[in-house]
């Protein structure tokens, strides 16, 4: 797996139970004196926002809070946050929450420090001026946004999801505190956990894979596949929680270096048109993508099974794509999530339109086996 490589760690990763106590110190180290805390209502209600603000204030920082981010953030959320930033004048931004809050923090940073509109930054490397330093604190174990330089922001009018990436938009520090994930409802643990597993599996076989990204994918796969059952059975198991959080973070690093594949291309239109939770859509489609890719990439899936051989219930590596797909389905079922599309949406006639949309998803271009619109249609049918 030689070939060209350009790898740099942009984000310092600090992980440990109650590590959020150190937030103020980390912010000071970055030169912060005025912090804008970007979060959402649920995080405020759980008391996490106040704990974060307290640590920042104890370190001498002035703090303003923007808690209006919503799931799948839009340009409207970013614009509202930007008003807060323009009023307060922060020299540091803290993103506290799931992927949505962290992405919104990045979006606010783009338009606050570089001006213009969110759509001006759609693509890669569009920010000409420096951006404020940021600290990312995930409260789920899922997206890995804390180590990615991309913000996914939807256009509030057209609903198009814009991927806005710039190395300056990467968090300078990712603060992983597993105690923040203890308050999660079991369904959120299941949805975000299966999404993270899909990140490990898709990035491992993508066309952009390299020696470093695959190391992250495998480490993430072991941590995630080996601990999801455990955190669902025993939600207060802090070590299992920490393993899930680190696994999701490593999977995020794998994506940053290798991108994703067809399962995410299939999942996105289901969220856009039918409001399916991202984790659920990905969990339903991934086994079918694995079977499809298995025709040419079975050996790579066998490597994942071999890497997870110590995990109870892991199929023999010789079973390759078929074994991996069956394992993923049983994991989804045990997590209490649906495995068939028919139980989630009523309108089977929507499949051709969904397939057209899936074929236009950027993320599908990195799938190891070329995908046509007809392939996407067939995979939706298989998952029905
Ligand atoms: Fe995902």
């Amino acid at each position: 797996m030689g070939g060209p490589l350009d790898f740099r760690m942009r984000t310092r990763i600090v992980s440990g139970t109650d590590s959020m106590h150190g937030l103020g110190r980390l912010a000071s180290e970055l030169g912060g004196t005025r912090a804008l805390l970007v979060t959402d209502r649920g995080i405020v209600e759980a008391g996490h926002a106040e704990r974060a603000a307290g640590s920042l204030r104890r370190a001498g920082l002035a703090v303003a809070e923007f808690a209006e981010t919503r799931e799948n953030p839009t340009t409207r959320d970013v614009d509202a946050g930007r008003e807060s930033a323009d009023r307060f004048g922060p020299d540091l931004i803290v993103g506290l929450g799931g992927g949505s809050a962290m992405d919104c923090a990045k979006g606010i940073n783009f338009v606050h420090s570089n001006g213009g509109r969110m759509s001006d930054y759609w693509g890669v490397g569009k920010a000409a001026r420096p951006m404020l330093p940021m600290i990312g604190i995930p409260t789920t174990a899922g997206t890995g946004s804390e180590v990615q330089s991309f913000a996914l922001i939807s256009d509030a009018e057209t609903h198009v999801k814009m991927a806005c990436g710039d190395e300056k938009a990467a968090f300078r520090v990712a603060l992983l505190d597993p105690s923040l994930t203890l308050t999660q409802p079991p369904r959120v643990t299941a949805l975000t956990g299966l999404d993270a597993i899909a990140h490990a599996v898709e990035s491992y076989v993508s066309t952009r894979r390299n020696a470093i990204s695959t190391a992250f994918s495998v480490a993430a796969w072991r941590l995630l596949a080996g601990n999801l059952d455990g955190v669902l059975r025993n939600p207060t198991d802090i070590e299992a929680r920490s393993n899930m959080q680190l696994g999701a973070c490593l999977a995020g690093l794998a994506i940053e270096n290798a991108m994703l594949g067809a399962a995410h291309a299939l999942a996105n239109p289901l969220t856009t048109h039918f409001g399916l939770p991202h984790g659920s859509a990905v969990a339903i489609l991934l086994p079918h993508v694995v079977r499809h890719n298995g025709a040419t990439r079975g050996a790579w899936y066998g490597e994942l099974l071999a890497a997870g051989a110590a995990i109870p219930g892991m199929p023999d590596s010789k079973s390759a794509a078929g074994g991996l797909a069956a394992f993923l389905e049983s994991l989804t079922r045990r997590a209490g999530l649906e495995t068939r599309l028919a139980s989630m949406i009523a309108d089977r006639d929507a499949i051709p339109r969904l397939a057209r949309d899936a074929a236009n998803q950027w993320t599908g271009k990195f799938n190891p086996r070329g995908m046509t619109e007809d392939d996407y249609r067939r995979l939706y049918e298989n998952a029905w």
Side-chain angles (χ1 to χ4, degrees), residues 28-381:
S28 295
E29 281 178 26
L30 290 172
T33 61
R34 297 174 68 77
L36 178 70
L37 180 60
V38 177
T39 187
D40 65 48
R41 291 297 173 116
I43 298 303
V44 173
E45 276 158 31
H48 300 325
E50 195 37 55
R51 286 175 55 207
S55 174
L56 291 163
R57 288 198 190 98
R58 277 193 297 281
L61 283 89
V63 182
E65 190 176 284
F66 174 72
E68 308 305 315
T69 68
R70 290 171 301 176
E71 218 172 310
N72 303 313
T74 70
T75 45
R76 215 165 279 146
D77 303 301
V78 169
D79 289 342
R82 171 211 214 148
E83 276 179 36
S84 294
D86 290 352
R87 250 194 328 269
F88 177 66
D91 53 18
L92 176 112
I93 296 177
V94 176
L96 170 68
S100 298
M102 288 189 285
D103 279 5
C104 200
K106 292 176 200 168
I108 292 166
N109 199 356
F110 270 112
V111 290
H112 171 70
S113 50
N114 273 263
R117 296 142 43 108
M118 200 64 240
S119 53
D120 298 337
Y121 305 98
W122 191 0
V124 181
K126 302 282 179 70
R129 290 208 286 269
M131 292 172 67
L132 295 180
M134 292 200 291
I135 297 176
I137 312 175
T139 56
T140 61
T143 63
S145 175
E146 67 273 16
V147 287
Q148 287 165 19
S149 57
F150 278 84
L152 296 177
I153 306 290
S154 298
D155 188 304
E157 309 300 324
T158 64
H159 305 291
V160 173
K161 216 176 208 183
M162 302 181 288
C164 308
D166 195 295
E167 60 179 44
K168 294 189 285 300
F171 290 107
R172 299 276 282 277
V173 179
L175 188 50
L176 308 183
D177 182 346
S179 61
L180 299 179
T181 67
L182 293 175
T183 53
Q184 246 169 40
R187 189 174 153 76
V188 174
T189 302
L191 288 170
T192 51
L194 281 155
D195 183 30
I197 285 173
H199 295 165
V201 172
E202 289 220 280
S203 61
Y204 187 68
V205 299
S206 90
T207 56
R208 289 275 182 94
R209 78 200 295 263
N210 59 55
I212 292 173
S213 76
T214 49
F216 286 134
S217 301
V218 167
W221 163 250
R222 280 207 196 99
L223 285 166
L224 295 163
N227 286 278
L228 182 60
D229 285 328
V231 286
L232 290 169
R233 229 182 4 249
N234 183 6
T236 58
D237 182 342
I238 197 77
E239 196 185 325
R241 288 282 188 186
S242 184
N243 287 337
M244 288 298 292
Q245 202 176 37
L246 192 57
C249 177
L250 293 174
L253 281 172
I255 299 176
E256 180 76 0
N257 289 279
M259 312 306 284
L260 288 163
H264 275 75
L266 286 155
N268 290 344
L270 291 168
T271 302
T272 308
H273 298 300
F274 293 98
L276 256 65
H278 175 70
S280 189
V282 166
I284 290 172
L285 271 313
L286 179 62
H288 300 283
V289 170
V290 167
R291 287 192 191 97
H292 174 79
N293 292 344
T296 56
R297 299 300 182 204
W300 288 350
Y301 292 131
E303 288 169 13
L304 282 180
L305 294 176
I311 298 166
M314 187 65 64
D316 187 272
S317 64
K318 284 196 229 32
S319 63
L324 178 61
F327 176 79
L328 292 167
E329 271 160 357
S330 72
L331 209 55
T332 304
R333 218 171 286 122
R334 286 200 300 279
L337 300 183
E338 302 294 343
T339 57
R340 312 296 318 177
L341 262 188
S343 52
M344 301 293 285
I345 56 179
D347 183 11
R348 195 169 181 159
D349 296 339
I351 286 181
R353 180 163 60 107
L354 290 167
R356 207 157 39 242
D357 269 23
N360 286 322
Q361 297 281 322
W362 185 52
T363 177
K365 311 274 180 271
F366 309 101
N367 195 66
R369 201 176 160 194
M371 295 287 298
T372 63
E373 192 176 313
D374 206 50
D375 289 327
Y376 282 115
R377 189 193 49 70
R378 196 166 40 77
L379 292 187
Y380 281 128
E381 296 284 357

